[in-house]
Amino acid sequence: MMPPGIPSPAPIGHILPGLSRTLRLGAGRPQRWAAVHVAGTNGKGSICAYLSAMLHAAGLRAGRFTSPHLLERRDSISVDERVVDRAAFASAEAAVRRRDAAGGIGASEFELLTAVAFELFTRAGVDVAVIEAGMGGRFDATNVLRAPTVSVIAKIGLDHQRFLGQRLQSITWHKAGIIKRGVPWVVDCSNEPRVLEELRKHAAIVDARPCLLAGYPDPATTTTTTTAIDGDVDGNDDTIWQVLPRNQFEPHQQTNLACAVAALKIVLAQWPTYAPSRDLAQPPPSLATILPAVLTVEWPGRLQRLSIERLTGRRGDTILLDGAHNVQSAEVLASYVYRHLRRPSTASAATGAGGPMNTRPVTWLLASSTNRHLRRMYERLIRPEDGVVAVEFSPVDGMPWVQPVRPEFLLAKLPPPPPLASQGAGAAVRRPFRGPLRPPPREVSHGANVREGLLRAARLARDNDTPLVVAGSLYLVADVLRLLRDGGQEVVDDNEDGEDGEDMEEDDDDEEEDV
């Protein structure tokens, strides 16, 4: 029974909750591969990437299905750390679409893509597939997985509220649906205690196996966290940081990696079951041998630094590209930008002074597909002295219902410019960077011309000597990556990954994010 206040799985627009169509497409038939199922709001894509890389390094044939795609649909599906080739994808897609037409199923694009991924994993003979849930979990197409080897719950926050409910409890209830009877599960222990309690209640109802908490909880909430779940914390494994340079991982990445390692241990504990697909008579490699594989993981659009010289024609022009588009991911991005880009000025470092006026401003290129929580996001990301260019991302292939928010509306949600300071007979705005004192630049690039907007933002950043950050939507991230690819800079190809977290299951209201 659904708890009070949780919306029923009724169709809303192009979203058709439920598993029946995916099952009829053949995705729910007995699988010849083990599965790891991952759900959450932020971090699930990174967990999937880390885990599949380590499984591959362990000698297993690993598949990975994440959402959304960035440049084309096939880049959400990989086997052996390579995006599936066009011919294999086209063949599997044709087979799935024939089933859809023959059965009069009327499956959604995400359901079709899920079935294509499962078909490709079966054809490729993978040992293990790492599957990221699209929207929620309980009624998500990927939840046709009835007996995964392990379920993983990443950080949960507010997202897809039209479909999952307005309260965190409701959203957690939906994501908890991937926790299955008799299946071990891993959870990011930095989740709020009320989230952990809701997960524990569901696990008890379905009689799931014991939970493993992973990550690095806030010391102030550690006692509450561990009591809520009654599991073992598995994140302070000394092996991880004896092998890997911890300073190369942001705090949230450390927790995502801990979740992936915890799931890996559960998979490797069942090592003998993967025969006879390959010779696994020898025991699995040690964790110390496997861990370096995560250093090769590339995750486009997540704290990604790129040169844009070929677009601007100016040496040294770079951007930080990140798909942050909800409050949680905005907090992570804001922390990274403060520590790595804003850099305290020489004067403030000498005097020990702090505060926003003693740090470097930033220029932003922004877009969004949702008008929810924009003010709260921008309060965390953007300071009054920052420069901003707002744009519309281009139409999303196969998803005409996904529409960008008007740039003028985005600018209206920004923090106001700094107040005028009296300076004798005149007045000027205090600016922390060198140059003429003037209000921070706020510009709108009309229409869907992301290239024009990016060039404008690059010019503002250059004129004001500020770093340039592109954020707000994975659809904008995809546009920028496509611009760089088409401009001659290869960013994502058949050997690279595509993701994260922004859900592509036809939600025109909210996006999910992997940070």
Side-chain angles (χ1 to χ4, degrees):
M1 175 177 291
M2 300 182 66
I6 295 179
S8 61
I12 303 178
H14 294 270
I15 304 292
L16 303 171
L19 308 179
S20 62
R21 290 172 302 280
T22 312
L23 288 168
R24 291 173 63 194
L25 288 172
R29 62 192 176 194
Q31 291 143 3
R32 298 195 294 270
W33 35 270
V36 178
H37 203 186
V38 184
T41 303
N42 296 302
K44 55 196 173 95
S46 296
I47 291 171
C48 291
Y50 288 145
L51 183 53
S52 67
M54 290 189 290
L55 290 168
H56 179 66
L60 295 172
R61 185 141 220 228
R64 183 174 76 243
F65 175 48
T66 55
S67 59
H69 63 274
L70 284 179
L71 303 183
E72 51 185 301
R73 286 172 301 144
R74 71 185 178 92
D75 68 35
S76 63
I77 306 168
S78 65
V79 174
D80 289 338
E81 296 305 282
R82 296 175 64 90
V83 173
V84 295
D85 64 52
R86 288 182 175 84
F89 180 85
S91 173
E93 183 181 36
V96 169
R97 289 191 179 276
R98 282 195 297 270
R99 290 181 211 141
D100 183 52
I105 298 171
S108 70
E109 286 299 316
F110 185 76
E111 290 167 335
L112 292 168
L113 188 59
T114 299
V116 169
F118 287 19
E119 178 79 14
L120 284 165
F121 296 152
T122 299
R123 292 184 181 189
V126 303
D127 298 306
V128 186
V130 182
I131 309 293
E132 178 189 352
M135 181 174 63
R138 189 176 299 269
F139 302 115
D140 184 72
T142 63
N143 209 26
V144 295
L145 296 167
R146 291 304 180 190
T149 301
V150 56
S151 300
V152 183
I153 304 290
K155 193 69 174 279
I156 293 177
L158 296 176
D159 69 293
H160 298 292
Q161 289 164 268
R162 282 181 62 198
F163 310 97
L164 307 181
Q166 298 299 318
R167 300 169 57 208
L168 195 57
Q169 176 193 15
S170 171
I171 293 167
T172 302
W173 180 84
H174 277 276
K175 296 182 187 295
I178 73 164
I179 300 173
K180 304 292 199 307
R181 184 179 306 278
V183 174
W185 57 293
V186 173
V187 63
D188 176 343
C189 65
S190 69
N191 274 295
E192 293 186 30
R194 56 180 171 159
V195 168
L196 297 172
E197 175 61 23
E198 185 67 29
L199 294 171
R200 183 198 63 78
K201 289 193 297 186
H202 172 80
I205 291 171
V206 302
D207 194 23
R209 286 182 54 192
C211 165
L212 194 61
L213 293 113
Y216 304 90
D218 184 336
T221 62
T222 298
T223 301
T224 304
T225 297
T226 54
T227 301
I229 291 289
D230 190 25
D232 295 323
V233 176
D234 185 71
N236 301 303
D237 188 328
D238 291 338
T239 304
I240 298 177
W241 308 119
Q242 288 171 359
V243 176
L244 301 177
R246 191 166 190 166
N247 61 359
Q248 290 188 21
F249 293 82
E250 295 297 310
H252 70 283
Q253 293 171 331
Q254 294 177 23
T255 289
N256 293 339
L257 178 57
C259 290
V261 168
L264 174 73
K265 292 176 179 177
I266 293 171
V267 173
L268 295 185
Q270 301 185 29
W271 182 261
T273 66
Y274 302 117
S277 62
R278 57 188 61 244
D279 180 12
L280 298 175
Q282 298 299 317
S286 67
L287 183 59
T289 302
I290 296 171
L291 276 169
V294 304
L295 297 175
T296 67
V297 171
E298 297 184 13
W299 208 227
R302 280 79 179 170
L303 301 180
Q304 183 181 17
R305 297 198 189 219
L306 292 171
S307 169
I308 56 171
E309 291 179 7
R310 295 196 181 184
L311 287 177
T312 64
R314 295 183 63 94
R315 182 179 297 276
D317 280 357
T318 61
I319 58 173
L320 177 68
L321 186 65
D322 193 272
H325 56 262
N326 58 39
V327 176
Q328 272 187 358
S329 56
E331 289 172 346
V332 170
L333 176 58
S335 175
Y336 180 90
V337 167
Y338 176 78
R339 287 182 289 109
H340 295 280
L341 299 182
R342 292 195 184 274
R343 294 196 302 270
S345 66
T346 303
S348 65
T351 62
M357 294 306 290
N358 290 317
T359 56
R360 190 181 187 190
V362 169
T363 299
W364 300 84
L365 177 68
L366 301 175
S368 180
S369 64
T370 175
N371 57 15
R372 291 178 183 267
H373 310 304
L374 283 179
R375 196 176 300 278
R376 290 175 59 199
M377 279 182 53
Y378 293 161
E379 284 172 353
R380 288 156 174 78
L381 284 177
I382 299 167
R383 293 183 174 175
E385 64 271 19
D386 288 351
V388 178
V389 173
V391 297
E392 296 180 5
F393 53 77
S394 59
V396 181
D397 181 30
M399 300 178 66
W401 52 88
V402 176
Q403 296 295 320
V405 175
R406 295 197 316 275
E408 297 88 345
F409 186 85
L410 297 182
L411 292 186
K413 297 294 184 179
L414 296 176
L420 293 176
S422 177
Q423 297 185 2
V429 174
R430 295 176 184 166
R431 297 299 303 280
F433 50 79
R434 294 188 299 274
L437 296 177
R438 59 188 183 277
R442 301 279 169 89
E443 294 194 12
V444 176
S445 181
H446 294 282
N449 193 338
V450 173
R451 182 187 181 94
E452 177 190 345
L454 181 57
L455 291 174
R456 285 192 187 186
R459 195 160 49 245
L460 284 175
R462 189 166 54 247
D463 291 346
N464 293 298
D465 188 27
T466 70
L468 173 57
V469 181
V470 178
S473 171
L474 281 171
Y475 303 122
L476 175 61
V477 164
D479 276 344
V480 171
L481 290 176
R482 195 173 292 110
L483 275 174
L484 295 175
R485 180 197 64 184
D486 296 344
Q489 178 173 339
E490 194 169 310
V491 178
V492 177
D493 62 21
D494 287 356
N495 296 317
E496 294 179 344
D497 309 314
E499 160 190 293
D500 103 67
E502 175 177 3
D503 174 32
M504 291 289 277
E505 183 165 337
E506 307 134 324
D507 182 2
D508 61 352
D509 184 68
D510 291 286
E511 306 176 49
E512 280 193 12
E513 164 68 1
D514 173 69
V515 294

